[in-house]
Amino acid sequence: MSEKEDGDEDRELLVKTRPKTKRPPLYKVLLINDDYTPMEFVVMILEKFFGLTNAQAFDIMITVHKKGLAVVGVFSYEVAETKVAQVMDCARQHQHPLQCTMEKE
């Protein structure tokens, strides 16, 4: 008989290494102040497309108004791109010059 018995093959431990996956990069969605878009419209946009409460939306709108821009949220590329498009389309439909952009975090 050989040095290994028939049952020894079943007892060997096989270790598989898993490749490490990187998290996708995140993108900040920014609202930019202008002198023409009504504050109420900005609050409505923040509530409708970003799911914020009225108080949260009001705080961000005030930040945009005072500082010139504010980060509305941080998302994956596809989600950020969609939110920017939604905001820009809605602003155009209502004839407001509101600007929304995204940048890598």
Side-chain angles (χ1 to χ4, degrees):
M1 219 171 156
S2 69
E3 290 180 20
K4 288 187 177 181
E5 294 181 19
D6 290 336
D8 285 346
E9 290 178 15
D10 294 336
R11 293 185 203 149
E12 290 182 20
L13 181 62
L14 296 176
V15 179
K16 283 187 178 179
T17 57
R18 292 185 183 177
K20 289 190 177 184
T21 55
K22 285 191 340 184
R23 291 187 152 228
L26 297 176
Y27 291 80
K28 297 185 281 190
V29 175
L30 306 159
L31 269 183
I32 301 168
N33 188 43
D34 65 74
D35 294 331
Y36 303 103
T37 304
M39 293 179 176
E40 296 81 16
F41 182 76
V42 175
V43 170
M44 183 274 299
I45 288 285
L46 293 169
E47 291 173 347
K48 182 176 181 178
F49 297 116
F50 296 94
L52 300 175
T53 65
N54 188 270
Q56 292 169 325
F58 185 82
D59 288 344
I60 290 175
M61 179 273 300
I62 290 296
T63 302
V64 170
H65 182 69
K66 289 182 177 178
K67 295 187 177 183
L69 66 98
V71 175
V72 180
V74 180
F75 308 96
S76 68
Y77 180 82
E78 291 81 9
V79 173
E81 185 178 47
T82 300
K83 294 206 180 277
V84 168
Q86 288 173 329
V87 169
M88 296 299 292
D89 288 345
C90 187
R92 267 189 240 113
Q93 287 174 0
H94 290 87
Q95 299 178 348
H96 296 301
L98 181 66
Q99 292 295 304
C100 185
T101 62
M102 60 188 261
E103 66 181 37
K104 201 168 187 177
E105 188 176 42

